[in-house]
């Protein structure tokens, strides 16, 4: 399983992802799921969930290039003019993997099941955040719906729904994403540390944060403790139900 | 969809269920999902989720009776000596519905998919809480795992995981179940008011609480407001992440 959350606020783009993969509970591994593509004119982050063979192949394809059949040009994540075209390229790569591997995968009882989030900035263009599906189609965040989640999304959704809007400070948005990640890791063993995170300030192509939180990292440890204590205090401060015998 | 939670603490049994059913988003209705069976020697509550035609048929069967093929006796939820036997009877009823309706349902693309929780007390016996599956098999809570959820269980699970143990006061457990219900209703439109709830004190066969929370009910409205405010305050009290440029 996987949990990744991407948030686009006024300040910029926040993306956080776990790193645990599992092929059954007896086959746990750590793989990076937040993949950054850095160049002088762009910073793009692609978060992946679902079948690892599919997502790794898509990553190789968009890095190494796919030929555009109409022009013969090799399209890569580094030479697309806009983020929209990057999203289209990722979608094409997903469909190409489906064309090659889809039938074989399903014959063996596997499912062609992935989801991705694509966020970033190309110099001179708008900052954008997309969610990309198994069919290669995609949607984009809006001012009313500023975040996407992929993977195990339910446990961590209530705090995101309640606590954020487009004007939320980016560091608060990152904090809320980490709380959401904590709730998910507590409830689903297949989502786990370390965590990767990115904060890209709007207009910039150099991330302000691009780092990993390892187990025991002091701030995240403290956040988890404080959040637990605050939840306990929160429900204890609510009066007991007044209901009684009929 | 449905969300029901059942909790067995030292004090007794708490069960809460929503009442919304949907056959597609354009076909919403209200049906009771927390079904109480009351007699001088017992109080039993059966919470149902999944295909409504299956669960209603099971309810009719356990109320009206199923013949025991080995003795010829008509078994009902009212004449079983123990709650374990009641759970077995419900399981038999589920399998009987499967025998009659299962193939036809699947031929039409439907799924034989239900879950139930069975809790209660028969005079002189222990208080018990079971979860019953589509195959008619069942499991029981334990001191380490004091609650079950059926239906849309993920959104409301984090607060249950964190806030309760076997020694939690029953009214606090009910409060936490209502918070869990609130989180679920905010995130899934197919779980909705009114809510039904039961509290049966350990050793008793007369429920201390057996009532419905309608929209606008003052305590639950206040709980929702307080919980939202407390969550906001809780995440705002956590310091912002100290991470920055590499």
């Amino acid at each position: 399983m996987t949990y990744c959350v991407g948030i686009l606020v006024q300040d910029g783009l926040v993306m956080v992802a776990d790193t645990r993969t599992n092929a059954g509970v007896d086959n746990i591994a750590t793989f990076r799921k937040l993949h950054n593509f850095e160049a002088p004119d762009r910073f793009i982050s692609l978060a992946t969930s679902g079948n690892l063979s599919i997502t790794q192949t898509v990553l190789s394809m968009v890095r190494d290039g796919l030929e555009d059949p109409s022009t013969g040009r090799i399209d890569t994540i580094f030479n697309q003019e806009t983020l929209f075209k990057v999203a289209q390229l990722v979608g094409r790569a997903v469909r190409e993997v489906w064309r090659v591997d889809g039938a074989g995968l399903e014959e063996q009882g596997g499912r062609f099941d992935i989801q991705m989030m694509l966020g970033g900035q190309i110099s001179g263009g708008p900052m954008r955040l997309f969610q990309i599906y198994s069919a290669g189609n995609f949607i984009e965040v809006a001012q009313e719906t500023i975040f996407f989640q992929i993977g195990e999304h339910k446990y961590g959704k209530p705090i995101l729904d309640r606590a954020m809007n487009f004007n939320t400070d980016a560091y608060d948005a990152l904090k809320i994403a980490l709380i959401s990640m904590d709730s998910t890791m507590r409830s689903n063993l297949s989502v786990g540390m370390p965590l990767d995170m990115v904060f890209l300030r709007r207009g910039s192509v150099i991330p302000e944060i691009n780092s990993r939180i390892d187990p025991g990292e002091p701030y995240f440890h403290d956040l988890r403790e404080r959040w637990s204590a605050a939840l306990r205090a929160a429900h204890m401060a609510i009066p007991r139900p007044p209901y009684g015998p009929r």
Side-chain angles (χ1 to χ4, degrees), chain A:
Chain A
M1 207 63 189
T2 289
Y3 180 46
C4 310
V5 55
I7 306 167
L8 191 61
V9 288
Q10 176 67 48
D11 288 346
L13 174 72
V14 171
M15 292 179 80
V16 181
D18 87 312
T19 54
R20 187 165 292 172
T21 65
N22 70 304
V25 289
D26 56 351
N27 191 352
I28 301 283
T30 300
F31 279 93
R32 190 172 177 94
K33 299 169 190 175
L34 192 63
H35 307 275
N36 298 331
F37 298 86
E38 303 182 58
D41 72 332
R42 68 190 59 200
F43 184 89
I44 297 170
S45 197
L46 188 60
T48 58
S49 72
N51 186 304
L52 190 63
S53 73
I54 301 171
T55 58
Q56 287 191 343
T57 305
V58 168
L59 285 164
S60 293
M61 282 182 177
V62 299
R63 192 182 289 113
D64 298 348
L66 273 178
E67 187 178 326
D68 180 337
S70 60
T71 63
R73 188 178 84 150
I74 301 298
D75 290 330
T76 80
I77 202 166
F78 294 109
N79 69 8
Q80 300 302 293
E81 292 81 8
T82 66
L83 279 167
F84 182 78
K85 288 184 176 175
V86 172
Q88 288 183 309
L89 173 65
V90 175
R92 265 174 61 205
V94 173
R95 285 190 290 265
E96 180 63 16
V97 183
W98 165 254
R99 193 182 65 77
V100 174
D101 293 339
L105 196 64
E106 297 198 338
E107 278 167 16
Q108 300 294 327
R111 290 173 58 214
F112 191 86
D113 192 9
I114 58 142
Q115 289 205 329
M116 299 186 169
M117 286 188 302
L118 172 75
Q121 175 95 51
I122 295 177
S123 292
M127 177 165 261
R128 299 180 80 164
L129 174 60
F130 298 97
Q131 178 166 348
I132 302 169
Y133 298 98
S134 296
N137 57 328
F138 51 86
I139 60 174
E140 184 176 10
V141 291
Q143 284 213 9
E144 307 81 15
T145 300
I146 62 166
F147 67 86
F148 288 140
Q149 304 166 283
I150 58 175
E152 177 59 276
H153 62 282
K154 291 190 181 183
Y155 297 114
K157 187 158 184 284
I159 184 65
L160 299 175
D161 278 334
R162 287 169 192 270
M164 286 192 310
N165 62 53
F166 187 66
N167 299 311
T168 299
D169 175 274
Y171 283 78
D172 284 335
L174 173 59
K175 181 173 72 180
I176 292 160
L178 293 174
I179 293 171
S180 172
M181 189 62 78
D182 171 48
S183 294
T184 308
M185 290 194 297
R186 279 181 191 264
S187 291
N188 189 326
L189 284 181
S190 71
V191 177
M193 305 271 287
L195 308 178
D196 291 313
M197 62 185 166
V198 157
F199 168 50
L200 186 63
R201 196 167 282 281
R202 193 176 287 269
S204 172
V205 295
I206 298 167
E208 198 163 304
I209 301 173
N210 178 13
S211 56
R212 173 164 283 195
I213 299 175
D214 286 304
E217 191 273 332
Y219 172 78
F220 188 61
H221 180 81
D222 179 63
L223 174 143
R224 302 185 86 169
E225 296 286 313
R226 284 175 187 257
W227 184 245
S228 275
L231 287 189
R232 267 194 306 279
H235 77 73
M236 287 171 65
I238 295 176
R240 285 182 177 163
Y243 315 122
R246 282 170 295 183

